[in-house]
Amino acid sequence: MEEHKLVIVDAINNFFVWIFSNIGITIKKGSTIIPSHIIMAIIATLIVIIFFKLIVKNLKLFPDKMQNFLEALYKAFQSLIDDVIGHEGRKFLPALATMGIFIACANLLGLFPEMASPTANLNVTVGCAIFIFVYYHFQGMKKHGFLGYLKTFAGPAWWLAWLFFPIEIISHFSRPLSLSMRLFGNIFGEDLVIIIIASLIPYIAPLPMMAFAIFTSLLQAFIFVMLSSIYLSGAMASEH
């Protein structure tokens, strides 16, 4: 099945083709300079940044409905982190909340006309998973020191290190694979089902699936943040 070319992606790529042609670099019109998933990820990022910039500028002493919603969202992230990591984990709230909100926005983007979910592309989900993988290991080494953090891989007793260490290594390297494939599979699958239904019976028939996709998009963002919190909790603990 031929991939549908998005209008905004074509426009941006043609713009870059025009720029390159004016500086003497010949590129065929219609060539893909920036892939669609990168453009969609940038759009999702800009939506989140602009939205929160506008909200922060209009904070009120007596909050309106939107401010109440955002405060409730903040409390929800804080409560999740407190439950999984403890109060020590509140310093991770900016990173985890930013990742969760970006993923939620990216998941939902594909429900709009002439848009696509960047998280329906494996490159984006792998990038998110690698960030979490590097981030929680960095925090673990920051707390315990490099050698101290490696000791947490050795198990409860030194004489079991030969058994626990390879198991822990395999377990940790499977985490980004699990995070990326779960998110990619769910979002790609739901987008594909919506496209198939819309191609068979347009307009009305896809609406129930689109409504369900809103729920699953938010659920996948929550699962990603929850698992990331669990990994951070393990990295910060004295023993695994």
Side-chain angles (χ1 to χ4, degrees), residues 118-138:
T119 43
N121 186 289
L122 191 58
N123 293 291
V124 176
T125 60
V126 167
C128 295
I130 289 173
F131 168 78
I132 293 299
F133 179 78
V134 172
Y135 184 71
Y136 82 77
H137 281 304
F138 172 77

Side-chain angles (χ1 to χ4, degrees), residues 5-16:
K5 289 187 177 181
L6 304 175
V7 173
I8 190 169
V9 173
D10 270 352
I12 291 172
N13 279 297
N14 287 334
F15 173 71
F16 277 102

Side-chain angles (χ1 to χ4, degrees), residues 31 45 120 129 199 201 208 216:
S31 299
T45 304
S199 65
I201 311 172
T216 56

Side-chain angles (χ1 to χ4, degrees), residues 2-166:
E2 188 179 352
E3 185 181 357
H4 170 65
K5 289 187 177 181
L6 304 175
V7 173
I8 190 169
V9 173
D10 270 352
I12 291 172
N13 279 297
N14 287 334
F15 173 71
F16 277 102
V17 169
W18 176 79
I19 289 176
F20 286 128
S21 66
N22 279 295
I23 60 174
I25 301 173
T26 304
I27 299 176
K28 184 181 176 183
K29 188 175 180 180
S31 299
T32 302
I33 298 172
I34 305 177
S36 61
H37 65 273
I38 293 179
I39 293 174
M40 290 296 117
I42 293 170
I43 290 173
T45 304
L46 290 175
I47 289 171
V48 172
I49 292 171
I50 293 169
F51 175 74
F52 281 97
K53 280 288 185 182
L54 293 174
I55 292 297
V56 168
K57 282 185 177 181
N58 297 295
L59 293 178
K60 301 178 179 69
L61 181 61
F62 299 100
D64 55 17
K65 290 181 181 179
M66 179 56 70
Q67 190 172 330
N68 277 326
F69 168 74
L70 293 176
E71 288 177 1
L73 183 63
Y74 174 84
K75 288 293 184 183
F77 277 114
Q78 189 179 79
S79 177
L80 173 64
I81 291 169
D82 285 349
D83 290 343
V84 176
I85 307 174
H87 288 283
E88 182 187 15
R90 289 191 178 184
K91 61 186 176 183
F92 307 131
L93 193 149
L96 293 175
T98 301
M99 181 62 73
I101 292 168
F102 166 76
I103 290 173
C105 182
N107 292 349
L108 294 169
L109 199 60
L111 299 177
F112 293 92
E114 285 301 323
M115 291 289 176
S117 300
T119 43
N121 186 289
L122 191 58
N123 293 291
V124 176
T125 60
V126 167
C128 295
I130 289 173
F131 168 78
I132 293 299
F133 179 78
V134 172
Y135 184 71
Y136 82 77
H137 281 304
F138 172 77
Q139 294 298 335
M141 287 185 282
K142 186 177 177 181
K143 179 178 180 180
H144 302 291
F146 180 72
L147 292 178
Y149 185 61
L150 284 180
K151 287 179 182 178
T152 64
F153 287 64
W158 65 267
W159 51 273
L160 287 173
W162 65 273
L163 176 63
F164 275 87
F165 199 81

